[in-house]
Amino acid sequence: MPEPESVPVSACGGGLVVGVDSGGSGLRVALARAGAGEAEPGGRVLETVTSREPVRTGAGGIDAGHLLAQVLPAVEAMAGRATGAGGRGGAGRIVAVAVGAAGMATLGDRLRAELPAALERAWGVRRLALAADAVTAYAGALGQRPGAVVAGGTGLIALGTDLSGWRRADGWGHLLGDCGSGAWIGRAGLEAAMRAYDGRRGGSAALLARAERRFGPAAGLPAALYPRTDRPAVLASFAPDVAGCAVDGDPVAAGILERAAGHVAEAAAAVCPAGPAGAGEVALAGGLFRLGEPLLGPLRAELGALLPGARVVAAAGDPLSGAVTIAAALARGEVRLPEDPRLLQLTR
Amino acid sequence: MPEPESVPVSACGGGLVVGVDSGGSGLRVALARAGAGEAEPGGRVLETVTSREPVRTGAGGIDAGHLLAQVLPAVEAMAGRATGAGGRGGAGRIVAVAVGAAGMATLGDRLRAELPAALERAWGVRRLALAADAVTAYAGALGQRPGAVVAGGTGLIALGTDLSGWRRADGWGHLLGDCGSGAWIGRAGLEAAMRAYDGRRGGSAALLARAERRFGPAAGLPAALYPRTDRPAVLASFAPDVAGCAVDGDPVAAGILERAAGHVAEAAAAVCPAGPAGAGEVALAGGLFRLGEPLLGPLRAELGALLPGARVVAAAGDPLSGAVTIAAALARGEVRLPEDPRLLQLTR
């Protein structure tokens, strides 16, 4: 079994890298070859492992031990298969690791304190990137190019960079913001349903019918929602119904998606780096944008108005591929995304 | 000590009645003389007791035993003082009780099951009204006249009656509705603060400054809000800041209060009984309306547009006085507010 220290830095191009994406719905880990450079910026993914057990978050923040207990054996098994080495042998060829985690900025202290020593001890790896999930979403969507990424799902955050620093907008959660997110759209749709139930202005009988199909009688909706601990996810689960109503021609549902599109564009505009007109890229990443044309149609119009020079692109890859991109760049000494104590911390 | 049964019904006019107002911030109990009729519709309150211990709500709903453990000794002490009778003697002159409770409609099953027998056993009282807190708010605001009442505080609900039945609007909580409430206004104000922090459109630097004064640095706001179990109250605590900013001329804050006023008027319009123009009364009850002119100015305009015939009045009294009004009417056999299995249940 090769000692971790026996991997020469010059071998990094052919070495292995690990990307990790840790979030509320679980953990995903990818093993990849570092790649040869710009032609293969994201590395070449060899294998991916998914765990549906989210990493625990306790009083001290994200539980580094719980993350390592899932990541180490998964990577060692994948590395063994990739290199033909038994046991933990293949892990000796790992040269860089990038971990993207939801809550990294505010809950990542234990990861920042414990992961560098733990990974050096386990695999001899010194090159480590700790990234907010918005940064891995950015790298997955745009690689290391300047621009802006809106990551939308249950929540919504926008991140932009001119490669000299980061700008962030929203991502403040379902009560303070996440404007235009799945939870925002679903909440607005349920409010319109209850307005119809009450006979208040702004109601939609179509949304009321959909809400009752999904959650039961309208009067029972508060009891179905408030005791839940995953209220934002419950709200977001109604967003596809709002989109469906809009497709069916419901003007209230269409209005909700138009306002959501405005909020998404506002977040993008707040973070998009200034540059020559036509040069900026704005990528839309995450499940929110699978709501389709009822959202994307007005969103293109809003982005055209607020960011007339920007080119709207689909995300090239997901946050896990973004983590691999960062790990591969770190292995090659080519990280161009800016370091930031809360968003992207590099150990070299 | 007179036996409870010794109180003749003909003595009801001179008998004692009890009103109870049970809510999230505690319990209030009033002892009153039943009064002689229309000239004294609300009875004459002799004494009031306040407990800051909210009645417990468990899996079975509002805890009837916990409510009785607070109400019985408080009333017996007041009745003893009122009648000069020692011990529980004065309670024998009680002829009717009205209990208004938050959550009565959905969580009141144990109260409905246990209170009638318990009060007959304790004081020989058979006349009992069990009312939703919105109904006691209505009776406190408008007595037994037809009309509409908007009860606004942290939440918001509108209730209206033509005396043949009730209409209700909103009161669905801070995620599904409570549109225009204190939580709604505070939430919108904090969103505008975070928009200013991000540089998004729709932000207000004045609201951001006020939010940081109240809750600390903006980036820490999610951590200050989301772990709390009383999030609606935290949001509502910012509503006076929104009103203050509006008074200082901030257009974003003024816009929030204008939209809130629109929502309040929509709820009132949905429940206001149809009638000859100019005949309807709409009462504004609760702490929300102490936000003053920044809310009341646009609210008068919105109500004028949606309910051109209505007369907007201040609430005559609070929910506790409403409970006394209902108990006194029950004692005299003059309840005119309509019975409803969830909103107002009478035992005679």
Side-chain angles (χ1 to χ4, degrees):
Chain A
M1 183 170 107
E3 282 295 298
E5 287 74 14
S6 71
V7 179
V9 172
S10 62
C12 284
L16 299 175
V17 299
V18 171
V20 176
D21 175 39
S22 171
S25 56
L27 181 84
R28 292 197 306 151
V29 186
L31 183 76
R33 295 205 188 281
E38 288 305 297
E40 214 172 35
R44 198 187 315 143
V45 173
L46 301 170
E47 194 179 344
T48 298
V49 167
T50 299
S51 156
R52 297 209 174 274
E53 191 185 347
V55 174
R56 284 190 294 263
T57 299
I62 300 166
D63 185 334
H66 190 221
L67 182 133
L68 286 165
Q70 295 189 65
V71 168
L72 294 183
V75 169
E76 285 159 13
M78 288 193 287
R81 286 190 286 273
T83 61
R88 297 166 63 180
R93 290 192 45 208
I94 297 168
V95 289
V97 176
V99 177
M104 180 68 83
T106 50
L107 301 168
D109 284 348
R110 285 186 59 188
L111 296 185
R112 286 184 277 269
E114 299 176 29
L115 253 53
L119 291 175
E120 183 164 7
R121 201 162 50 237
W123 306 329
V125 172
R126 291 205 185 86
R127 297 177 176 214
L128 171 64
L130 294 175
D133 57 346
V135 169
T136 48
Y138 187 101
L142 287 181
Q144 298 203 79
R145 300 193 301 280
V149 171
V150 183
T154 297
L156 187 134
I157 189 168
L159 209 58
T161 183
D162 58 5
L163 302 186
S164 76
W166 293 101
R167 290 170 74 186
R168 168 217 164 130
D170 214 343
W172 302 115
H174 71 296
L175 293 175
L176 298 168
D178 285 5
C179 299
S181 68
W184 188 98
I185 291 168
R187 200 212 61 73
L190 291 173
E191 182 189 315
M194 299 315 287
R195 284 176 177 271
Y197 180 77
D198 290 344
R200 271 180 294 154
R201 193 163 65 173
S204 157
L207 285 168
L208 176 58
R210 291 220 183 215
E212 296 204 312
R213 213 175 309 150
R214 191 174 284 273
F215 299 107
L221 238 137
L225 174 64
Y226 293 113
R228 299 276 296 256
T229 55
D230 59 344
R231 287 179 292 273
V234 176
L235 296 172
S237 74
F238 193 60
D241 290 296
V242 179
C245 273
V247 168
D248 293 345
D250 184 69
V252 172
I256 289 169
L257 290 165
E258 280 162 23
R259 290 201 304 284
H263 292 321
V264 174
E266 285 159 1
V271 303
C272 200
E281 278 182 288
V282 175
L284 307 176
L288 176 66
F289 303 104
R290 286 198 291 272
L291 291 180
E293 274 309 300
L295 177 65
L296 295 177
L299 180 51
R300 278 189 296 266
E302 293 280 353
L303 285 169
L306 287 179
L307 289 170
R311 199 152 47 89
V312 181
V313 299
D318 64 9
L320 181 63
S321 80
V324 170
T325 295
I326 293 170
L330 189 58
R332 298 191 306 265
E334 292 172 2
V335 176
R336 287 194 302 278
L337 294 176
E339 292 183 60
D340 179 286
R342 297 193 160 266
L343 292 173
L344 179 59
Q345 206 177 56
L346 303 178
T347 315
R348 290 191 182 89
Chain B
M1 183 172 110
E3 282 294 299
E5 287 73 14
S6 71
V7 180
V9 171
S10 62
C12 285
L16 299 176
V17 299
V18 171
V20 176
D21 175 39
S22 170
S25 56
L27 182 83
R28 292 197 306 152
V29 186
L31 183 76
R33 295 207 187 279
E38 288 305 298
E40 214 173 34
R44 199 187 316 142
V45 172
L46 300 169
E47 192 179 344
T48 298
V49 166
T50 299
S51 155
R52 296 207 174 275
E53 191 185 348
V55 174
R56 284 191 294 263
T57 299
I62 301 166
D63 186 334
H66 190 223
L67 182 132
L68 287 166
Q70 294 189 64
V71 168
L72 294 183
V75 168
E76 285 160 13
M78 288 192 288
R81 286 190 286 273
T83 62
R88 298 164 63 182
R93 289 190 48 206
I94 296 168
V95 290
V97 176
V99 177
M104 180 68 84
T106 51
L107 300 168
D109 283 348
R110 285 185 59 189
L111 297 185
R112 286 184 277 267
E114 298 175 30
L115 254 53
L119 291 175
E120 183 164 6
R121 203 163 49 237
W123 306 328
V125 172
R126 290 203 186 89
R127 297 178 176 214
L128 171 64
L130 294 174
D133 56 347
V135 169
T136 49
Y138 187 100
L142 288 181
Q144 298 203 78
R145 299 193 301 280
V149 171
V150 183
T154 296
L156 186 134
I157 189 168
L159 209 58
T161 183
D162 57 4
L163 302 187
S164 77
W166 292 102
R167 289 170 74 186
R168 168 216 165 131
D170 213 344
W172 302 115
H174 70 295
L175 292 176
L176 298 169
D178 284 3
C179 299
S181 68
W184 189 98
I185 292 169
R187 201 212 61 74
L190 291 173
E191 182 189 314
M194 299 314 288
R195 283 177 177 270
Y197 180 78
D198 289 344
R200 270 180 295 154
R201 193 163 65 173
S204 157
L207 285 168
L208 176 58
R210 292 218 182 215
E212 295 203 314
R213 213 176 309 150
R214 192 174 283 274
F215 299 108
L221 238 137
L225 174 64
Y226 292 114
R228 298 276 296 255
T229 54
D230 60 343
R231 287 178 293 273
V234 177
L235 296 172
S237 73
F238 193 59
D241 290 296
V242 179
C245 273
V247 167
D248 294 346
D250 183 69
V252 172
I256 290 169
L257 291 164
E258 280 162 25
R259 288 201 304 284
H263 292 321
V264 174
E266 284 158 1
V271 303
C272 201
E281 278 182 288
V282 175
L284 307 176
L288 175 67
F289 302 104
R290 287 198 290 272
L291 291 179
E293 275 308 300
L295 177 65
L296 296 177
L299 180 51
R300 279 190 296 265
E302 293 279 354
L303 285 170
L306 286 179
L307 289 170
R311 201 152 46 88
V312 181
V313 298
D318 63 9
L320 181 62
S321 80
V324 170
T325 295
I326 293 169
L330 190 59
R332 297 191 305 266
E334 292 171 2
V335 176
R336 285 193 303 276
L337 294 176
E339 292 183 61
D340 180 287
R342 297 193 161 267
L343 293 172
L344 179 59
Q345 207 175 58
L346 303 179
T347 314
R348 290 191 182 90

